[in-house]
Amino acid sequence: MAADTVAGAAAGNGTRDVVTVVLGFARTLRHAGVAASPDRVEAMLAAAAHLDVLDPTAVYWAGRLTLCGSPDDLDRYDAAFAAYFGGEAPRPRRSTGAEQPRVAQTAPMVPGEGSEDGGEPSDLATRASGEEVLRHRDVAELTAAERDQLRRLFALLVPAAPMRASRRRSASPHGSVHRARTVRRALRDGGEVTRLQHHRARPRPRRVVLLIDVSGSMSPYADALLRFAHAAVRARPASTEVFTIGTRLTRVTRELRLRDPDRALAASGSAIPDWSGGTRIGEVLKAFLDRWGQRGTARGAVVVVCSDGWERGGAELLAEQMGRLQRLAHAVVWVNPHKGRSGYEPLTAGMVAALPSVDHFVAGHSLAAFEQLAGVITHA
């Protein structure tokens, strides 16, 4: 097995750590949109057995050659490499005379071994395991440095859109028989049906609508939720709508279409008048359905409500509007950051009123939870 051959690259527990690092990096690549299939991961592990795992340039090129499958993967690979290993992707550069090409100082792949110049040990396995721990940390409990690292990881998210069958059909080797094409083919073949022609409905992206609570109780999670929304808009700008909810409804889709995440969030913050205010989910949801639901924005869509369920308005109104939303939407997903905490029970009046009309109730407190949310949306 390729994993066994890594023993030639490191001794003792280093072998297990190298495998863990490579598998974690492959998972990060997949979230960034690079396939990183199992056979490619195995090829990377085999390559790691024959290179100096303390050399960041060798690690970079081994991964680039084994884990990338097309030119479209290269930029995503570079971004994932920088985010996962905490340094810029090494790039060869032309040098003249005695000048040496500069290489980003990424950490080695074997724990406990440092740089050759006698500096402090740099441990990639520790950093990678720390990144894995960070993925499951509650975003409300992170330090400023950890938030900065998490922003880089959020930028790698590429949520896949849920698909629906459209009325338009296209030629396919499977599906229902296309009678007209079959007859035309038979006429070209002398009047005999030699081959049946098939067609099937062409899949189209299903609309995704995100309603993000920006009230005071949700302020520790608002940045992460808006970054997830930005990733969703960036992936499918034509079929994704984002609104913020608090004491009023604000559409921020246009602001989140900016390519840079920080600029997009700054523009969104300027557009939201009720940031860190109160919460009237029932009233705001009614406003959304009255203005946008009947116009088709919510009809047949996957609607994602991101809120802790603290409702200052009437719970009866919220229950009524959630039932109305469920009848319009294809699926309703409720994201509550507190669901990720041990022992949590949805006992607030808002959650009790909303849950009967919710198809999927998920957590939203960490990067790992948002990755799971992306899968729930895709398969809703």
Side-chain angles (χ1 to χ4, degrees):
M1 294 294 293
D4 295 331
T5 64
V6 184
N13 292 333
T15 300
R16 180 177 300 174
D17 291 327
V18 169
V19 175
T20 301
V21 169
V22 172
L23 294 179
F25 181 45
R27 182 165 51 252
T28 300
L29 284 174
R30 284 191 285 271
H31 287 302
V34 179
S37 57
D39 58 327
R40 290 187 176 277
V41 175
E42 188 172 349
M44 174 60 180
L45 289 171
H50 301 285
L51 56 83
D52 180 4
V53 293
L54 302 181
D55 183 355
T57 302
V59 174
Y60 169 81
W61 285 109
R64 182 177 166 121
L65 292 172
T66 57
L67 297 174
C68 295
S70 70
D72 294 338
D73 292 340
L74 300 182
D75 289 340
R76 297 170 183 170
Y77 175 86
D78 288 348
F81 189 94
Y84 190 79
F85 293 133
E88 294 182 0
R91 290 285 194 175
R93 55 177 294 189
R94 296 177 181 175
S95 59
T96 57
E99 181 185 2
Q100 297 295 326
R102 291 185 298 176
V103 174
Q105 295 301 313
T106 55
M109 290 184 68
V110 179
E113 299 191 31
S115 59
E116 297 178 358
D117 58 4
E120 293 183 0
S122 182
D123 187 348
L124 179 60
T126 301
R127 181 175 299 181
S129 62
E131 184 264 0
E132 191 65 25
V133 171
L134 183 63
R135 298 167 76 95
H136 295 83
R137 289 275 306 280
D138 192 314
V139 297
E141 301 172 356
L142 300 181
T143 64
E146 290 171 334
R147 287 178 181 274
D148 184 64
Q149 184 178 357
L150 195 66
R151 291 189 186 104
R152 295 200 303 268
L153 296 174
F154 262 110
L156 299 175
L157 279 176
V158 185
M163 305 301 289
R164 64 179 179 86
S166 67
R167 294 182 180 180
R168 301 186 64 178
R169 294 176 173 267
S170 58
S172 172
H174 307 288
S176 59
V177 175
H178 194 307
R179 298 179 182 179
R181 291 187 62 203
T182 300
V183 171
R184 288 197 296 269
R185 176 63 181 266
L187 292 175
R188 290 198 301 267
D189 293 341
E192 294 187 8
V193 178
T194 59
R195 182 179 178 183
L196 294 176
Q197 301 296 306
H198 300 268
H199 64 167
R200 61 172 20 171
R202 184 183 304 172
R204 295 183 58 186
R206 186 180 294 277
R207 188 183 302 277
V208 175
V209 180
L210 294 110
L211 304 174
I212 300 176
D213 187 345
V214 293
S215 64
S217 63
M218 286 290 291
S219 57
Y221 302 96
D223 181 85
L225 289 166
L226 286 171
R227 287 184 184 277
F228 177 82
H230 176 261
V233 171
R234 187 182 67 233
R236 292 285 184 178
S239 59
T240 306
E241 289 283 350
V242 184
F243 300 82
T244 61
I245 58 176
T247 56
R248 60 182 296 178
L249 180 73
T250 305
R251 182 174 181 261
V252 292
T253 307
R254 182 175 61 181
E255 288 77 8
L256 290 177
R257 284 177 179 159
L258 294 174
R259 184 177 183 85
D260 181 77
D262 294 326
R263 290 183 57 199
L265 264 68
S268 299
S270 300
I272 300 172
D274 55 342
W275 189 282
S276 295
T279 315
R280 297 187 179 275
I281 306 175
E283 295 178 12
V284 175
L285 191 56
K286 183 179 185 301
F288 167 74
L289 292 171
D290 288 345
R291 182 177 178 183
W292 299 93
Q294 301 300 331
R295 293 171 56 181
T297 301
R299 189 179 301 278
V302 176
V303 180
V304 183
V305 183
C306 307
S307 175
D308 55 6
W310 285 100
E311 172 64 298
R312 291 189 177 182
E316 298 81 6
L317 178 61
L318 176 57
E320 177 186 345
Q321 297 306 313
M322 284 298 298
R324 185 179 166 196
L325 176 63
Q326 187 185 42
R327 290 189 295 271
L328 275 175
H330 172 74
V332 178
V333 181
W334 191 291
V335 181
N336 188 328
H338 303 308
K339 189 178 185 298
R341 296 180 178 177
S342 177
Y344 168 77
E345 294 184 12
L347 300 179
T348 62
M351 291 309 312
V352 171
L355 281 180
S357 301
V358 171
D359 298 299
H360 304 278
F361 184 42
V362 300
H365 65 297
S366 66
L367 177 60
F370 284 113
E371 292 168 350
Q372 294 174 3
L373 170 61
V376 170
I377 295 173
T378 301
H379 298 100

